[in-house]
Amino acid sequence: MDSEPQPLAVPYAGREDNQAVPRGAAHTEGRSTDRPTHTPRDARNGDHQSRPGALPPAPGRLSRVLGRPAVPVLLAVVLVVVSWQVAVDGPLLGLDRWARSAVRETRHELHSALLNHLGKALSDLGGGAVAVPVLFLGGAVAAWRDRLAGVSRWWLPGAVAVLTAGLIPLLVVPAKAWFARPGPFGLPLAADQWGWYPSGHTATATLAYGVAALLLARTAGPRSRRRLAEGAALLSAGVGLGLVWSDYHWLLDVVASWCLGGLVLLALARWLPARRRPGGPGSPTGR
């Protein structure tokens, strides 16, 4: 009979955080030290030394933060490259000829009067007679909402709308006159013609509908802001595609105006101040 005293079976030992820690031969077999199977919370290593146990930053959020400056840079690079190719009649203009040929073949194969009328109708949405009144209406509605909300500078949306309407020809007309690019039909420019590059209808649609949506978005909720942005983008895209489908403009004319309008919209979005009540410091009134 073995008289050697046997160790008492202590299955668990207490911890400061009142959680049981398993102990014993079965639990510690194969381990170099008699420590718990899990690492205590205060001993974990996270992504910050001052925040033990913190998770690493989400990749999606980080990519969105890093991607923001890339948008205006990309628009500016595309605009500069396309303008350079138009000025020197470079090889990139082959894309225009390919796109025009593909559209003409598709239009001939479909032979759809409905699509042809739709293309012309979309092109007309980029005219000043349609787009500029929408711009003024958006600025007026935004100013009226700001006035009702007690915003001190309630007149700002209306002023921005008027300035945008004056900015559009200042951006487009000198560029048309300088590049003097013939249209898709290849006819030489007349003495009273400015040229086709960049597309005036596309620039008008992008800026007029985009600025109207931007001004209204300052007075709307998140869901309405998203719908306004999507609506403005669809109108701008529709006008550009309608111009190419109807053979009114080269594809690169439209792409350049999209880039130009996008740069102006991004700059305006950063410049516009937040809506604030006159008596409340730092109290936005946007819903």
Side-chain angles (χ1 to χ4, degrees):
M1 184 174 180
D2 190 2
S3 60
E4 185 176 354
Q6 300 294 325
L8 295 177
V10 184
Y12 297 94
R15 273 180 32 176
E16 293 181 359
D17 54 0
N18 296 325
Q19 296 185 9
V21 179
R23 293 187 183 279
H27 178 73
T28 59
E29 183 179 358
R31 299 173 65 94
S32 59
T33 58
D34 187 15
R35 57 183 176 85
T37 56
H38 66 279
T39 307
R41 183 179 300 273
D42 55 355
R44 298 177 191 172
N45 292 325
D47 58 335
H48 300 287
Q49 295 298 327
S50 59
R51 297 173 54 192
L55 296 175
R61 182 177 302 177
L62 182 61
S63 63
R64 286 196 300 269
V65 172
L66 295 178
R68 287 176 183 174
V71 175
V73 171
L74 178 62
L75 293 177
V77 168
V78 172
L79 180 60
V80 169
V81 170
V82 171
S83 300
W84 164 55
Q85 288 292 286
V86 171
V88 301
D89 197 16
L92 188 60
L93 300 189
L95 178 61
D96 276 338
R97 294 185 286 272
W98 172 85
R100 183 172 186 248
S101 176
V103 169
R104 293 185 67 181
E105 290 180 4
T106 304
R107 193 168 58 238
H108 179 72
E109 291 176 359
L110 296 177
H111 197 64
S112 173
L114 177 61
L115 287 178
N116 294 336
H117 287 304
L118 178 60
K120 293 179 180 179
L122 289 173
S123 303
D124 291 338
L125 292 179
V130 180
V132 173
V134 173
L135 170 63
F136 288 157
L137 180 62
V141 172
W144 174 68
R145 288 181 176 179
D146 279 351
R147 185 175 177 84
L148 290 181
V151 177
S152 56
R153 287 183 287 184
W154 59 268
W155 45 265
L156 184 61
V160 169
V162 172
L163 291 175
T164 301
L167 179 65
I168 294 173
L170 293 179
L171 291 175
V172 175
V173 173
K176 283 178 171 290
W178 192 82
F179 286 99
R181 187 187 191 191
F185 293 101
L187 299 176
L189 295 178
D192 58 343
Q193 286 182 316
W194 291 326
W196 265 253
Y197 181 88
S199 168
H201 276 59
T202 307
T204 301
T206 303
L207 289 175
Y209 299 132
V211 172
L214 184 62
L215 295 176
L216 290 172
R218 298 173 69 247
T219 67
R223 182 176 299 178
S224 298
R225 288 197 293 268
R226 184 167 57 251
R227 290 177 178 174
L228 286 168
E230 292 172 352
L234 286 176
L235 285 172
S236 176
V239 169
L241 294 178
L243 291 169
V244 175
W245 177 266
S246 302
D247 209 16
Y248 292 153
H249 265 288
W250 298 105
L251 175 61
L252 292 182
D253 300 345
V254 171
V255 171
S257 292
W258 280 337
C259 294
L260 179 63
L263 288 172
V264 175
L265 289 174
L266 289 174
L268 182 60
R270 293 180 61 88
W271 174 79
L272 277 177
R275 301 170 73 228
R276 301 182 186 279
R277 297 186 184 276
S283 176
T285 62
R287 294 185 293 274

